[in-house]
């Protein structure tokens, strides 16, 4: 606990000194008080992320039924710039590229590594277990906001450019062109109560990039996983190297990149130890005022 | 053949040469006696915004004519990237680059420049294709509330830059958006080096800009209330010679996504690429320059089969390419940092049938086989 006290004191001091009035609200000085959505158990049709080949040609990923036996808890909003700045002030996160510390805006300009560092910091701070959602969890929670990235083209076309052009057209048609991060709630709330799903912030997931070969039976025959690249979820799926903070820089020469990179976290159910750590953190919060 | 330029450069020295020069009129001027311009047919052309170009004949029909264009200066804030960075811009007709004008060699260009009263600055125009008068700038200074017209003969075929050139603040006006291109086509059309005619199905007009936007103490781009407010800080960034933005058609991603250029396999495009201020090096990823007039002037034979070509700051280049393969092409400034980080990337969506002879996927990526 000694380490936590030191960290919290340092955070409080640093925030006041460095970031000024914008961050002096008590919410940001201690562990953020976050609206959580409980996603109920259920079943949905899930199209796997990654690239799939059949008989040597790119095809739509196979769709499969995914069941969540238990529900899970996920942040209603993306992590705010202010909450992320608190982690930066604690020395546990690298400053985001966005440069803002607003409590009303999602943090953007953050990499997968930054998101993982924030989850670790938040977990230590709260005594809870926070982590990035998997692409499956994110897609299930996205509900009607989930974009099916299948192209429905005739398969095994002899024209390798056909899928490429179709993907480009689909993403271009969906391109809203306003890449400025918007205040929470600007993109509305979905049927499960999550805000701003598929707005102009793409969200990091824990899921690794996969390339797979599908047999004639539709089953994955073999696959290669590259965990140096993770799935970013949003209006359309993206695949980004874990250190990329600005999708437009990290994208390819002839495709369309995510507008912004941010994230929201899933809270694992608390263990007994976790509960005790949370109580201690709350006591600390009270002491700091 | 001895030309005036070679002689003055000293490649042929001596008094005899100097004497010869005084008696030898410039070949081009001698070939065409002065016309009675008032009797020539007149044509008024409505300009269209880039990346498109007004309809024109690739081969001139009939004799020379007077072609009238009208440019109106618009001073206006313009967003130059996806982050909403706003520049206090100065433009001809509201676009960056300014609209392309197309005429034929031997035509007379009659250009009217209007500077509405609502503007703050004096403006003019220097057309690189024009001879004398600082390219027209000397005759065309217009204050807010004024309008002027001048005429020049298009004596040389090629793609040329035009830009604003007011005394004392030329570069600021140019890098704030006041530049465009004039295309002077040979009367009998564009040709390869062996005199065979080359035709194109469409023109892509790419105007590359280098912008210099001041930042605040936190490193964020500053936004100014007026041109005058922006001037001093902008000049300081300009003097550093490192642009904050290098973009095609006035804005990062102006020619990608929904605004991507479009062509079909088998179509030939003439790409006119102008940069009024700074050197650049266009490259078509997955394609080539079939015929490239790197310096933009059609009296010189085109270079063939280029991978990357060089556009000198203050010039426009012409490149002809026939698409042979479908896909999404990226047309970039091949300083790839400028292309990817500063904005100089355009996309061309090309539909059509794949040519397996030119390229085929022999084995799609699979796990490395183990033997």
């Amino acid at each position: 606990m000694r380490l936590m006290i030191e960290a919290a004191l340092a955070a409080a001091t640093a925030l006041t000194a460095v970031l000024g009035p914008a961050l002096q609200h008590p919410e940001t000085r201690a562990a953020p008080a976050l609206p959580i959505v409980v996603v109920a158990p259920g079943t949905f049709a899930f199209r796997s992320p990654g690239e799939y080949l059949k008989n040597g040609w790119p095809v739509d990923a196979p769709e499969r039924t995914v069941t969540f036996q238990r529900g899970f808890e996920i942040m209603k909003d993306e992590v705010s710039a202010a909450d992320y700045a608190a982690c930066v002030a604690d020395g546990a996160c690298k400053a985001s590229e966005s440069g803002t510390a607003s409590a009303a805006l999602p943090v953007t300009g953050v990499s997968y590594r930054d998101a993982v560092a924030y989850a670790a910091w938040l977990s230590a701070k709260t005594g809870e277990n926070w982590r990035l959602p998997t692409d499956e969890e994110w897609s299930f929670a996205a509900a009607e906001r989930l974009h099916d990235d299948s192209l429905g083209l005739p398969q095994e076309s002899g024209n390798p450019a056909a899928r490429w052009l179709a993907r480009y057209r689909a993403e271009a048609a969906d391109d809203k062109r306003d890449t400025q991060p918007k205040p929470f709630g600007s993109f509305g709330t979905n049927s499960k109560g999550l805000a701003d799903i598929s707005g102009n912030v793409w969200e990091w997931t824990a899921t690794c990039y996969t390339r797979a070969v599908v047999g004639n039976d539709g089953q994955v025959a073999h696959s290669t996983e590259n965990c140096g690249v993770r799935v970013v979820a949003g209006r359309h799926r993206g695949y980004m190297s874990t250190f990329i903070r600005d999708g437009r820089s990290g994208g390819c020469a002839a495709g369309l990149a995510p507008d912004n990179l941010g994230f929201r976290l899933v809270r694992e159910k608390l263990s007994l130890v976790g509960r005790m750590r949370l109580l201690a953190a709350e006591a600390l919060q009270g002491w700091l005022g | 053949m001895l030309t005036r330029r070679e002689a003055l450069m000293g490649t042929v020295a001596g008094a005899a040469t100097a004497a010869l020069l005084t008696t030898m009129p410039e070949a081009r001027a001698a070939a065409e006696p002065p016309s009675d311009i008032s009797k020539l047919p007149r044509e008024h052309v409505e300009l269209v915004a880039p990346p498109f170009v007004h309809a024109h004949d690739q081969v001139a029909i009939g004799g020379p004519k007077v072609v009238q264009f009208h440019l109106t200066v618009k001073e206006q804030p313009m967003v130059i990237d996806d982050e909403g960075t706003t520049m206090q811009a100065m433009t001809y007709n509201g676009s960056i680059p300014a609209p392309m004008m197309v005429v034929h060699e031997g035509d007379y260009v009659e250009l009217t420049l209007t500077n509405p009263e609502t503007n703050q600055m004096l403006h003019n125009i220097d057309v690189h294709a024009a001879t004398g008068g600082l390219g027209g700038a000397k005759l065309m200074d217009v204050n807010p509330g004024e309008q002027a017209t001048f005429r020049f003969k298009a004596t040389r075929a090629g793609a040329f830059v035009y830009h604003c050139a007011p005394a004392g603040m030329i570069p600021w006006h140019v890098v704030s958006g006041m530049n465009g291109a004039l295309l002077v086509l040979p009367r009998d059309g564009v040709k390869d080096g062996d005199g065979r005619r080359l035709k194109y199905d469409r023109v892509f007009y790419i105007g590359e800009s280098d912008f210099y936007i001041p930042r605040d103490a936190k490193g964020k781009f500053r936004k100014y209330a007026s041109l005058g407010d922006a001037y001093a800080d902008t000049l300081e960034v300009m003097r550093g010679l490192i642009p904050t933005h290098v973009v095609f058609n006035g804005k990062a991603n102006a020619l990608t996504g929904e605004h991507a250029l479009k062509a079909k396999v088998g179509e030939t495009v003439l790409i006119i690429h102008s940069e009024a201020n700074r050197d650049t090096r266009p490259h078509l990823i997955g394609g080539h320059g079939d015929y490239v007039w790197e310096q933009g002037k059609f009296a010189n034979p085109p270079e063939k089969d280029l991978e990357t070509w060089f556009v000198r700051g203050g010039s426009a280049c012409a490149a002809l390419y026939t698409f042979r393969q479908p896909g999404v092409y990226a047309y970039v400034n091949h300083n790839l940092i400028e292309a990817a980080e500063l904005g100089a990337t355009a996309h061309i969506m090309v539909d059509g049938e794949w040519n397996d002879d030119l390229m085929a996927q022999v084995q799609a990526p699979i796990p490395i086989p183990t033997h």
Side-chain angles (χ1 to χ4, degrees):
Chain A
M1 287 318 296
R2 189 171 56 84
L3 281 175
M4 274 188 66
I5 293 167
E6 277 176 5
L9 279 171
T13 313
L15 280 173
T16 313
V18 177
L19 295 166
L23 279 178
Q24 284 181 16
H25 196 267
E27 268 183 3
T28 59
R29 284 172 39 186
L34 298 162
I36 298 295
V37 168
V38 179
V39 177
T43 293
F44 80 124
F46 177 69
R47 197 177 295 282
S48 303
E51 287 183 303
Y52 289 77
L53 296 171
K54 190 175 176 183
N55 298 327
W57 295 106
V59 292
D60 288 335
E63 200 175 53
R64 59 192 163 88
T65 301
V66 169
T67 301
F68 288 92
Q69 302 280 8
R70 299 189 306 160
F72 57 90
E73 295 179 331
I74 188 165
M75 291 176 174
K76 172 176 183 280
D77 302 305
E78 288 141 354
V79 170
S80 76
D83 288 345
Y84 186 82
C87 178
V88 175
D90 254 7
C93 291
K94 270 171 58 184
S96 77
E97 265 183 18
S98 71
T100 174
S102 165
L105 292 173
V107 66
T108 55
V110 285
S111 69
Y112 170 84
R113 293 176 184 182
D114 296 329
V116 168
Y118 181 84
W121 172 82
L122 186 63
S123 298
K125 200 91 177 159
T126 58
E128 299 166 342
N129 186 9
W130 293 92
R131 60 166 174 81
L132 281 173
T134 63
D135 184 50
E136 286 183 21
E137 287 168 334
W138 191 95
S139 299
F140 184 56
E144 76 283 1
R145 296 283 183 98
L146 180 64
H147 171 79
D148 182 4
D149 55 6
S150 67
L151 293 170
L153 294 179
Q155 300 199 336
E156 298 165 43
S157 140
N159 185 345
R163 284 189 72 81
W164 184 18
L165 282 159
R167 171 80 59 214
Y168 190 90
R169 276 203 176 88
E171 292 178 6
D174 189 42
D175 193 0
K176 304 290 191 295
R177 284 292 156 152
D178 185 355
T179 65
Q180 280 291 95
K182 295 285 179 288
F184 291 119
S186 295
F187 295 97
T189 301
N190 75 357
S191 59
K192 295 194 191 220
L194 280 77
D196 303 316
I197 289 280
S198 298
N200 67 2
V201 175
W202 270 246
E203 300 177 18
W204 286 104
T205 75
T207 301
C208 299
Y209 171 81
T210 300
R211 178 144 33 208
V213 172
V214 180
N216 284 326
D217 57 357
Q219 300 299 308
V220 172
H222 53 84
S223 64
T224 323
E225 213 172 51
N226 176 4
C227 289
V229 174
R230 304 282 168 149
V231 175
V232 291
R235 284 211 302 273
H236 57 78
R237 267 193 189 121
Y239 306 99
M240 289 280 151
S241 294
T242 54
F243 54 84
I244 296 294
R245 311 181 100 199
D246 176 354
R248 277 160 294 174
S249 291
C252 63
L256 293 173
D259 293 341
N260 298 289
L261 296 175
F263 62 100
R264 76 181 80 210
L265 299 175
V266 162
R267 181 165 66 183
E268 292 280 12
K269 212 165 177 191
L270 286 178
S271 62
L272 183 61
V273 175
R275 277 177 212 279
M276 289 175 66
R277 292 178 73 188
L278 178 62
L279 283 173
E282 278 168 0
L284 179 67
Q285 185 178 336
W287 174 64
L288 285 169
Chain B
M1 196 189 112
L2 179 68
T3 68
R4 180 185 292 270
R5 182 176 175 79
E6 280 165 349
L8 292 177
M9 294 292 281
T11 51
V12 183
T17 316
L20 183 64
L21 268 176
T22 59
T23 56
M24 193 184 79
E26 199 173 331
R28 238 187 291 251
E32 292 171 28
S35 322
D36 184 350
I37 298 165
S38 66
K39 289 184 180 157
L40 293 179
R42 297 172 71 81
E43 183 188 3
H44 178 81
V45 175
E46 288 297 332
L47 293 166
V48 300
F52 306 107
V53 179
H54 65 79
H56 59 270
D57 297 314
Q58 293 184 35
V59 170
I61 298 169
K65 48 191 176 182
V66 178
V67 188
Q68 297 171 284
F69 298 100
H70 190 167
L71 292 172
T72 301
V73 180
K74 288 187 181 160
E75 298 171 356
Q76 58 189 14
M78 289 176 85
V79 174
I80 57 166
D81 60 25
D82 290 332
E83 289 75 43
T85 303
T86 304
M87 175 175 76
Q88 285 291 342
M90 296 182 264
T91 70
Y92 296 108
N93 284 16
S95 67
I96 303 176
M100 187 192 291
M101 301 182 270
V102 185
V103 298
H104 289 92
E105 187 178 357
D107 285 346
Y108 293 83
V109 178
E110 193 176 286
L111 184 60
T112 298
L113 183 62
T114 301
N115 188 0
E117 207 164 19
T118 45
N119 285 344
Q120 306 288 311
M121 304 284 159
L122 175 144
H123 300 284
N124 63 22
I125 190 163
D126 166 0
V127 186
H128 287 186
T131 306
L134 303 180
K138 199 72 189 158
L139 313 182
M140 293 293 281
D141 274 338
V142 283
N143 290 293
E146 292 181 337
Q147 175 174 305
T149 301
F150 86 123
R151 185 191 69 224
F152 65 89
K153 189 172 187 177
T155 55
R156 296 156 203 273
F160 292 86
V161 158
Y162 67 85
H163 61 86
C164 193
M169 40 179 84
I170 299 174
W172 181 48
H173 281 243
V174 172
V175 301
S176 297
M178 294 193 82
N179 64 83
L182 168 70
L183 180 62
V184 182
L185 291 167
R187 295 202 77 77
D188 52 354
V190 175
K191 296 191 204 62
D192 70 4
D194 302 317
R196 281 187 294 267
R197 240 205 89 198
L198 298 169
K199 296 177 191 172
Y200 48 85
D201 296 296
R202 57 189 77 230
V203 178
F204 292 154
Y205 170 31
I206 313 281
E208 183 170 334
S209 298
D210 42 320
F211 294 139
Y212 303 81
I213 311 299
R215 297 176 193 265
D216 64 18
K218 286 181 179 168
K220 291 276 167 195
F221 289 121
R222 290 192 63 178
K223 192 173 176 175
Y224 294 89
S226 73
L227 276 165
D229 291 337
Y231 177 67
D233 292 351
T234 304
L235 198 63
E236 203 177 311
V237 182
M238 285 163 56
R239 283 178 175 153
L241 297 176
I242 299 175
T244 54
H245 296 73
V246 178
V247 302
F248 295 154
N249 289 30
K251 186 184 180 203
N253 289 318
L255 300 176
T256 65
E258 279 188 296
H259 309 287
L261 301 164
K262 290 170 188 66
K264 294 188 178 70
V265 169
E267 280 186 342
T268 299
V269 296
L270 177 67
I271 305 174
I272 304 295
H273 190 125
S274 66
E275 224 300 4
N277 191 63
R278 191 169 172 274
D279 300 340
T280 183
R281 52 209 68 69
H283 173 89
L284 179 64
I285 301 181
H288 303 93
D290 287 338
Y291 298 94
V292 180
W293 296 264
E294 206 175 52
Q295 296 162 77
K297 308 305 172 280
F298 296 121
N300 306 305
E303 295 199 77
K304 293 171 192 159
D305 301 335
L306 297 196
E307 57 176 319
T308 299
W309 40 102
F310 188 69
V311 182
R312 294 142 184 81
S315 76
C317 141
L320 199 84
Y321 183 62
T322 305
F323 286 100
R324 294 153 173 88
Q325 200 77 295
V328 183
Y329 289 73
Y331 178 85
V332 299
N333 168 343
H334 210 288
N335 177 328
L336 295 170
I337 302 163
E338 296 182 0
E341 299 295 325
L342 300 189
T345 298
H347 291 161
I348 307 170
M349 297 171 67
V350 180
D351 283 300
E353 285 307 306
W354 185 264
N355 183 336
D356 264 329
D357 185 44
L358 287 171
M359 184 181 284
Q361 175 112 61
V362 177
Q363 170 62 66
I366 54 164
I368 300 166
T370 49
H371 297 290

